[in-house]
Amino acid sequence: SNWISVKEARQGSSAGKSVEIRGWVRTRRDSKGGFSFIEVNDGSSMGNLQIVAPGELANYADEIQKLTTGCSVVITGELQESPAKGQDTELHADAVRVLGWADPETYPLQKKRHSFEKLREWAHLRTRTNTLGAVMRVRDQISQSIHQFFHENGFFYTHTPIITASDCEGAGEMFRVTSLDLEMLAQKGGPVKYEYDFFDKPTFLTVSGQLEAETYATSLGRVYTFGPTFRAENSNTSRHLAEFWMVEPEAAFFDLADDMKLAEDFLKQIFTDCLNKCGEDMAFFDKMIEKGKLDQIKAVIEKPFQHMTYTDAITVLEKASKKFDYPIAWGTDLQAEHERYLTEEHVGGPLILTDYPSSIKPFYMRVSDDGKTVAAMDVLVPGVGEIIGGSQREERLDVLQRRMAEADLNEEDYWWYIDLRKYGTVPHAGFGLGLERAVQYVTGMSNIRDVIPFPRTPGNADF
Ligand code: ATP
Ligand code: MG
Ligand code: MG
Ligand code: MG
């Protein structure tokens, strides 16, 4: 067949061709002249293709005039230059075949606008709307750009395990993994003991692939892992999910400055690709979701990111302390409101915060000469706050062991991680970017639940 996508059909160069289009009806409007306009979308782009269906078609009265939003159709005809504004071509149909009806009495996505919150109740249908469709195309683009950027910079894609025995972040936000047999044992009244467990020890869904990625960085040099991560976040916020996708590069012979440069180059490449390859969707976000987004991102690409130490940030925040719900003092972790104040109000763009107190950061971050701070960096952006958290890693065996003891970690559980410091240890660094937070920033969507297909949050795993 001469099946082409709506995206391709809408390009002016296609005029004059006989084609087939397969998609879903967005709207139908019958004209007085005895023909109908049908807007069809197939997901390939934001724009619909306008179909002109003449009244002479055999199924005009029986089927075409009964088409409603959501029906699936296959249409053949000739593409012609369109007299209408905002589109290059329209399809003059010679056949309209209906594959599936969508009862307008029950189909939830009628012309009326629904709130994003309401749309979450139809997570299986919501990508048929303009906004969610655009979000998922941008999400795809960012994922592709991530792979491309790292490959072009000599990083190998590695797969780190989903089931782990170590709590990388030490934040106690892990989901326990249990086999069904065990659960049945418990129901019969048996005590569930670790000894009985499938893995002979307690295991969890990973919160980060970093520790395993470090083993590969210290052999392959530059690697990245990109996969789902899980955190039992106990609060409902607009930027936390229980299941999210994280990309984590890790590079041998990198220090904190190299790490920051990598993060900045990486983000700028992603933003550039979104502007260049998702132009239509980005223009939509600029118009409908966050005015000025396009100019904002263009400016971000052109200017170097600003840097500030955590200590200096605390000074800034203390002066504005009246604006915040949470108290702020040196030694406390920053809340979203603090991060957003710094990036939105104080610098008006991305900000890299460095040198956090060791007391609020995990054991693996490299202790600085002052003994109080670690070589950490977070990238903060307007609208979201933290999108990247990273650091130079502790490569000195004795310091690492001391930090593990302070964190009450059992060295035997991390023997393989410690080995990396015993045999050919090298300075190395890396970071983690939450994919969803990047999508939130690029699109301007305010709730993280609307940038992942099936959001997992407390009390919500329906689909
Ligand atoms: P936050 O302070 O927002 O809780 P974090 O400091 O706990 O984040 P990290 O452990 O530094 O997060 O993880 C690296 C990155 O992963 C973060 O910068 C963020 O982009 C993303 N991330 C962390 N937790 C979540 C989550 N629950 N949902 C979505 N993305 C997350
Ligand atoms: Mg957290
Ligand atoms: Mg944080
Ligand atoms: Mg962090």
Side-chain angles (χ1 to χ4, degrees):
S1 78
N2 39 5
W3 175 27
I4 63 170
S5 69
V6 164
K7 181 180 183 179
E8 208 183 328
R10 287 176 68 241
Q11 286 154 9
S13 55
S14 298
K17 284 187 191 145
S18 282
V19 300
E20 181 176 293
I21 294 296
R22 305 174 184 182
W24 293 268
V25 172
R26 282 292 175 86
T27 59
R28 190 202 83 241
R29 183 164 58 82
D30 299 329
S31 109
K32 288 199 191 79
F35 54 92
S36 298
F37 293 111
I38 313 166
E39 297 280 331
V40 172
N41 189 285
D42 67 355
S44 58
S45 70
M46 158 124 336
N48 304 325
L49 183 66
Q50 174 156 290
I51 314 290
V52 184
E56 293 80 57
L57 293 179
N59 60 348
Y60 186 73
D62 283 353
E63 294 194 324
I64 294 175
Q65 284 194 304
K66 291 179 183 154
L67 284 173
T68 53
T69 309
C71 294
S72 49
V73 287
V74 176
I75 300 170
T76 54
E78 188 180 308
L79 287 170
Q80 296 183 7
E81 258 174 61
S82 172
K85 250 203 186 146
Q87 60 183 27
D88 290 333
T89 54
E90 57 189 22
L91 182 66
H92 288 247
D94 52 40
V96 175
R97 191 153 59 92
V98 183
L99 295 186
W101 297 96
D103 183 355
E105 295 296 317
T106 54
Y107 185 59
L109 303 178
Q110 298 304 326
K111 251 187 173 172
K112 160 182 186 302
R113 276 192 105 79
H114 296 289
S115 68
F116 292 132
E117 203 172 2
K118 190 78 197 154
L119 285 177
R120 277 174 226 145
E121 293 173 21
W122 307 304
H124 59 308
L125 298 172
R126 65 178 179 163
T127 27
R128 298 182 182 195
T129 65
N130 282 339
T131 307
L132 270 290
V135 165
M136 295 311 159
R137 280 186 296 271
V138 168
R139 184 182 166 106
D140 162 74
Q141 180 55 55
I142 294 177
S143 306
Q144 305 293 340
S145 294
I146 286 168
H147 286 297
Q148 202 178 343
F149 174 86
F150 285 121
H151 262 189
E152 283 173 0
N153 287 282
F155 286 73
F156 296 105
Y157 180 29
T158 64
H159 301 106
T160 48
I162 301 292
I163 299 176
T164 66
S166 47
D167 180 1
C168 173
E169 295 304 306
E173 293 172 337
M174 315 252 284
F175 286 103
R176 188 65 208 279
V177 174
T178 322
S179 73
L180 221 51
D181 282 356
L182 249 190
E183 214 168 275
M184 269 147 44
L185 195 76
Q187 274 164 19
K188 285 183 191 145
V192 177
K193 289 221 185 89
Y194 295 151
E195 292 88 71
Y196 299 133
D197 212 332
F198 189 92
F199 295 106
D200 259 354
K201 57 164 63 165
T203 51
F204 309 92
L205 296 178
T206 187
V207 294
S208 159
Q210 179 203 315
L211 302 188
E212 292 90 351
E214 281 184 58
T215 71
Y216 273 61
T218 50
S219 51
L220 299 182
R222 296 177 180 199
V223 299
Y224 68 105
T225 169
F226 184 14
T229 43
F230 308 86
R231 295 187 187 186
E233 306 279 1
N234 55 22
S235 58
N236 270 299
T237 79
S238 60
R239 64 173 206 178
H240 288 96
L241 292 163
E243 175 180 302
F244 63 101
W245 285 68
M246 185 148 60
V247 52
E248 297 177 273
E250 192 68 36
F253 311 105
F254 266 45
D255 63 14
L256 188 67
D258 299 323
D259 203 32
M260 288 192 283
K261 182 171 186 310
L262 180 72
E264 180 169 344
D265 291 347
F266 168 64
L267 288 175
K268 285 179 172 174
Q269 186 61 54
I270 288 177
F271 300 158
T272 304
D273 287 349
C274 286
L275 294 181
N276 290 343
K277 298 183 183 171
C278 298
E280 197 182 19
D281 292 327
M282 290 301 297
F284 173 85
F285 293 122
D286 186 68
K287 196 168 151 217
M288 306 298 291
I289 303 293
E290 188 184 335
K291 296 235 157 33
K293 189 87 221 182
L294 283 176
D295 287 339
Q296 186 197 330
I297 292 185
K298 279 180 200 154
V300 163
I301 292 167
E302 272 156 29
K303 273 188 281 180
F305 288 6
Q306 294 207 37
H307 294 193
M308 189 190 280
T309 65
Y310 167 91
T311 303
D312 287 344
I314 293 296
T315 309
V316 170
L317 292 169
E318 275 172 341
K319 284 191 191 130
S321 63
K322 281 199 206 80
K323 299 190 171 180
F324 307 126
D325 294 333
Y326 289 86
I328 188 80
W330 203 95
T332 55
D333 201 4
L334 302 185
Q335 299 292 326
E337 58 174 354
H338 305 129
E339 294 173 347
R340 290 188 57 177
Y341 176 82
L342 291 168
T343 171
E344 288 166 22
E345 313 277 328
H346 191 68
V347 305
L351 171 64
I352 307 187
L353 273 194
T354 61
D355 306 290
Y356 285 74
S358 59
S359 55
I360 57 168
K361 289 292 184 186
F363 73 96
Y364 55 73
M365 293 192 178
R366 192 180 194 281
V367 179
S368 301
D369 292 343
D370 62 15
K372 288 188 308 198
T373 62
V374 286
M377 63 109 185
D378 278 11
V379 183
L380 318 179
V381 292
V384 184
E386 173 181 347
I387 62 168
I388 281 181
S391 74
Q392 187 172 337
R393 317 308 187 189
E394 185 55 73
E395 86 284 11
R396 297 162 296 187
L397 179 63
D398 55 333
V399 184
L400 183 73
Q401 285 169 324
R402 197 185 76 223
R403 289 274 284 157
M404 290 182 72
E406 284 165 9
D408 265 335
L409 295 174
N410 193 347
E411 279 192 30
E412 279 152 38
D413 295 339
Y414 294 84
W415 65 274
W416 51 274
Y417 188 73
I418 293 169
D419 265 5
L420 305 179
R421 280 73 184 167
K422 280 190 190 159
Y423 308 118
T425 191
V426 291
H428 60 287
F431 63 76
L433 166 82
L435 173 67
E436 288 75 19
R437 295 210 185 159
V439 180
Q440 267 190 287
Y441 175 65
V442 166
T443 60
M445 296 295 286
S446 56
N447 197 308
I448 197 164
R449 291 167 181 77
D450 301 324
V451 299
I452 186 165
F454 300 99
R456 266 75 178 107
T457 49
N460 184 8
D462 285 351
F463 291 87

